Each structure stands twice: as structure tokens, then as C-alpha cells.
Amino acid sequence: MAAPPPATELPIREGEGEKKTAATEQEINPWDVQAGQDEQGNTLQFDYVAISKKWATKLIDEDLLQRFERLTGKKPHRWLRRGLFFSHRDFDKILDKYEAGEPFFLYTGRGPSSDALHLGHTIPFTFTKWLQDVFDVPLVIMLTDDEKALFKEKLTFEETHKFGLQNAKDIIACGFDVKKTFIFSDLEYISGHFLYNVWEFSKLLPFNQVRGAFGFDGSTNIGRIMFPAVQCAAAFATSYPQIWPNYDPKADRSKAIAKIPCLIPCAIDQDPYFRLVRDNSTRMRHPTPKPALIHSKFLTALQGAGGKMSASDPNSAIFMTDTPNQIKNKIIKHAFSGGRESLEEHRRLGGIPEVDVAFQYLSYFEDDDAKLLEIETSYRNGTLLTGELKKMAIAMLQEYVAEFQERRKGVTDEVMRSYMTPRELEWKGNPNPVKKEKKAKGGKGEAKPAEAKPAEAKPAEKEG
Ligand code: TYM
């Protein structure tokens, strides 16, 4: 395993979830993310343990990461090692599938409310690309242009559709393999089997469940009320009949394909949607396994504590279109510092990495655990100054954004359309699956007996 993770931003501590000091509670849902406030009106850090407890997700622990490494032979991504992806639902079941060489797919998405992604949005996509490389599985990416026009009063469907196509280019620039990736705009793609799933699933959802999950009331437009069924139905493998082998345009939704589960990487704000799927997916005509999830924290706003980088507040965010100079100025002017008032005080008392935004960004992008720990230690003991720390963060972010922009230049309309064409995807999965018999003999209980592999799930030549 990797060296012990440095105590980077927002470490999760025992008992953190029990804190009862907030005068206002944090609010986290897909449209509104706000940290709590204490009695003095100070904004608090997000309490991720509390949200995990409240929503009954599981925290990612060392055992899970070790098992991941054993099965895949890959060191966990730095965002896993550092607890930035901190929580999950049934990720262990996905590892069971991987171990047995059974099919599963990745599903993630973007709500196109603006024409450029910010740094925070690239976190789930960059992580998903890494998962795609590690697991070698198909991936679907949903652009909810319908959602954004329904939820943002000022945006039309035409505008969100255009934003979606621009966002698709940004998403492609995160490095996805075209052979294994299908990107779709809701406004363009939803029809056929996907639409059947949306309606069938909507029939299973009483308004009470949706109202409870999203806080809708009698004045909410009915498009918003219906939309969750759309984002939920995207978790069903049968919504994408063309990506699986042996596609037959005349066939009905297939029972075998319905059994293929998905893993959804996202920030924790998207979880309420998928709780609805998990509560109801086995009630579909062809029962579908509950989708698994892996949740990230929010990349902090430049202003620091309790803020989420957000496209609607340009000063809170670094955009993937920003120039090196803009990045530099934003960090110098706006990045909240954990340094002290004067040089003398800083040398004496040391900085506070936990609240320092430049340090937090470094913890996302510096891959070397030992180097990060050294930076943290010297900042904490006052040897490293805020200006020096900011300089490191600026260089790192300029590099990340410049590499992205270089890839983005190559994403023409034609390239974008190649990802957005419904077609059979190509993947191989686990090259060394553990056969059912072997697992049974091993008898350590780690690997459960595998379910039968759905006949249409993989082409014959791909079975190993
Ligand atoms: P959207 O466009 O709000 O966000 C896209 C993805 O980015 C995550 N995210 C962040 N991650 C880290 N730090 C931040 N500051 C930050 N802000 C946003 C979101 O959690 C999301 O993963 N309704 C969705 C689109 C969608 C989707 C999905 C997302 C459809 N199906 C499945 C994830 C998984 C939306 O509006 O995302």
C-alpha cells in the first residue's frame, strides 16, 4: 500500500458526526449546497461524516482500499488515499463483480448550466476516467440539459442543449476512451427503451418519496417533479440497448441486460436521486440490482470553509477556460489563507493547512504523498510561507488546466459526435477473473458465488 496519507483537508475524525454546535444545519441536495453556521454566524466546514450518517452511506475504509488494490493491482487514486472520495454504497459489491469477471458499467453526468466546466466538475470526471482505465468497463455520461432548463428559471431548453454540447467537449478532454464511452444529451437521446424505463420507473414512485427527497411543494412545476425519474432511469443498463453486444432494434428490454449493475461516481450532492433508484429498482418488471455509488467531497470554493466551487459565483471558481494569469490572480487575490497576520507570527505559530485553500488544492493535484506531507509539515511549523504555498498551488493548477486545454483543442464537433453516437462499446473487464469454483474452494468468504453471466452481456470472443 501507499505511504500513510498526509492529514490533508477536512480529515474525518471519530465522533465528528455527533457535533451539535451548528446554529443552522448544513444543507446538501442536488440544487443547494450550503455549509452550516455556528451560533456566532461563522460558516463551518462541511461535516461529511454527518451527511454519511444521515444518509446511511458507508465511509471508505482502509480494508476496502486494500481489497481494491489486491484485486486490480493498482494503487488507489490519491483522491481515495486522501479521503477526498470518502463514502460509498455497495462499492464492495462492484468489486465482487470485478473479481468474478462479471459485467458492470460506470454512469456519471453533468447538468449543463453554463458553457464551461469549473475545476470542481472535473473531479468526478477525472476520477471516472481513472476508474474506466482500471476496471476496463463501459461508461455512460448523461448531460441533463432537460434538468437545467427546468430548474433554472432564466435558461431555455435551447440554451442548455447548446451548453451540453460544449460541456461534452470539456468532458471528452478529461481523457475518456471513445471505444468505451457513450455520452448523451437527454433532449436528444431519450426515447425507446430509455423512455420505457423512465415511465415504468415513474409509475413506481409515489410523490411523497420524491417530495421528501427533494423538498418539492404544491407550486413546483411538474417537469421538475418528473425529472428524477429521468436521472434515475439512466442507472438501468437497458436504457442503452445499443452499447451492449448483439443489439436487436426489434427486441424488448432484456432481462439479462437489466441484471447488469452500475457504479456511479459523483459528489455527495447527487446521492438523493440514487436513493430513489436503490429503493425501487428491484420492483422494475425486469428487476435491476441497486446501483452502487462512490461519493466525493466538494472541491472548496476559493473563499474557503464551507463553500463549494460553483459556476454561478465566478470568484469562487477556477474555470477550465481560465488563462495562466487568471489562475494566478484568482489564487493570489481570492484563495483563503491559513497563514498568520504577520511574518513573525507565522514563523512563531505556523500556518493552518486545514483551512488553507491553496494547500487544499495542492492536496488534490500533488500525487506524491511524501512531498505533500513535507509541504504540510513545513507550513504547519511556519517554515513555509503563504506566498510560497500559493506559488506551488498556482504552478500545479496552471499545469493541470493547460494540459486539459491542450486536449480540449483536439475535440472537434466530429470527435464530440463520435462519443455521442449510440453504438456497441468495446471493453475487456478483469483480465484474470476468479472462477466461481476457485472462489468456492478458497472459502475465505471474500468472494461470493457469482451470479450467472447474462448471455447478451458480453460478446463470445470477450469472454475469458
Ligand atoms: P452538476 O453539473 O451539478 O455536477 C457535475 C458533477 O460534478 C460534481 N460537482 C462537484 N464535485 C466536486 N467539487 C465541486 N465543487 C462540485 N460541484 C459539482 C457533481 O456532484 C456531479 O458529479 N444532475 C447532475 C447531472 C447528472 C449526474 C448523474 C451527476 C446526471 N446523472 C450521475 C453524477 C452522476 C448535475 O447537475 O451535475
Side-chain angles (χ1 to χ4, degrees), residues 107 109-111 120 124 147-148 231 267 269-270 298-299 308-309:
Y107 156 43
R110 154 80 181 142
E147 175 193 22
K148 288 299 147 175
Q231 181 153 331
D269 61 329
Q270 297 296 312
F298 303 113
L299 184 77
K308 162 187 177 284
M309 197 173 268

Side-chain angles (χ1 to χ4, degrees), residues 134-146:
V134 171
F135 289 134
D136 195 353
V137 287
L139 160 69
V140 296
I141 300 179
M142 176 183 219
L143 300 167
T144 53
D145 35 18
D146 47 358

Side-chain angles (χ1 to χ4, degrees), residues 16 37 109 138 143 168 172 238 241 251 265 350 365 396 435 452:
E16 199 177 350
Q37 290 196 339
L143 300 167
I172 292 165
T238 47
F365 297 103
M396 197 124 248
K435 295 271 175 316

Side-chain angles (χ1 to χ4, degrees), residues 127-390:
F127 187 70
T128 303
K129 184 236 170 324
W130 178 79
L131 287 175
Q132 182 183 57
D133 290 348
V134 171
F135 289 134
D136 195 353
V137 287
L139 160 69
V140 296
I141 300 179
M142 176 183 219
L143 300 167
T144 53
D145 35 18
D146 47 358
E147 175 193 22
K148 288 299 147 175
L150 287 167
F151 284 88
K152 301 251 174 198
E153 283 308 329
K154 291 202 178 122
L155 290 179
T156 63
F157 289 89
E158 283 76 6
E159 282 164 338
T160 53
H161 177 240
K162 278 193 195 124
F163 288 159
L165 300 183
Q166 290 308 307
N167 290 181
K169 291 182 175 174
D170 284 356
I171 291 167
I172 292 165
C174 292
F176 294 104
D177 180 344
V178 66
K179 294 204 188 95
K180 294 182 238 171
T181 309
F182 172 49
I183 303 180
F184 62 97
S185 133
D186 285 1
L187 290 169
E188 288 182 14
Y189 178 66
I190 296 178
S191 61
H193 291 188
F194 198 135
L195 193 59
Y196 278 54
N197 281 335
V198 171
W199 286 117
E200 190 185 326
F201 192 69
S202 74
K203 209 172 152 185
L204 303 176
L205 284 186
F207 179 52
N208 280 346
Q209 254 187 51
V210 179
R211 184 175 53 193
F214 300 111
F216 296 150
D217 62 29
S219 67
T220 307
N221 73 50
I222 60 169
R224 292 185 186 183
I225 296 169
M226 177 64 185
F227 175 75
V230 175
Q231 181 153 331
C232 290
F236 300 137
T238 47
S239 292
Y240 316 99
Q242 305 92 337
I243 71 170
W244 308 107
N246 311 323
Y247 169 54
D248 173 0
K250 291 201 209 82
D252 287 343
R253 286 171 292 164
S254 123
K255 202 170 175 179
I257 290 180
K259 282 187 187 157
I260 303 174
C262 72
L263 169 64
I264 308 173
C266 57
I268 188 80
D269 61 329
Q270 297 296 312
D271 188 73
Y273 283 112
F274 303 114
R275 292 205 296 276
L276 293 177
V277 196
R278 289 175 58 86
D279 286 347
N280 297 292
S281 63
T282 54
R283 296 166 59 222
M284 290 289 281
R285 185 171 65 99
H286 294 320
T288 294
K290 293 174 193 264
L293 287 115
I294 185 155
H295 305 113
S296 77
K297 295 177 179 174
F298 303 113
L299 184 77
T300 313
L302 284 157
Q303 288 70 20
K308 162 187 177 284
M309 197 173 268
S310 157
S312 49
D313 175 3
N315 282 335
S316 77
I318 290 178
F319 288 92
M320 299 312 284
T321 43
D322 282 351
T323 62
N325 243 344
Q326 283 172 316
I327 296 174
K328 185 170 148 200
N329 291 337
K330 282 184 181 177
I331 299 279
I332 290 177
K333 280 197 203 139
H334 300 296
F336 185 83
S337 164
R340 305 287 174 171
E341 289 287 306
S342 66
L343 179 64
E344 185 276 320
E345 233 182 85
H346 188 87
R347 295 272 188 228
R348 187 164 52 86
L349 299 171
I352 310 169
E354 285 77 6
V355 299
D356 191 290
V357 168
F359 179 76
Q360 290 177 25
Y361 292 173
L362 271 177
S363 71
Y364 273 84
F365 297 103
E366 173 54 70
D367 194 45
D368 184 336
D369 290 339
K371 192 164 167 200
L372 187 65
L373 186 58
E374 193 189 305
I375 294 170
E376 182 184 346
T377 311
S378 50
Y379 193 55
R380 205 183 286 289
N381 69 24
T383 348
L384 186 72
L385 303 177
T386 298
E388 293 166 327
L389 186 66
K390 284 197 170 184

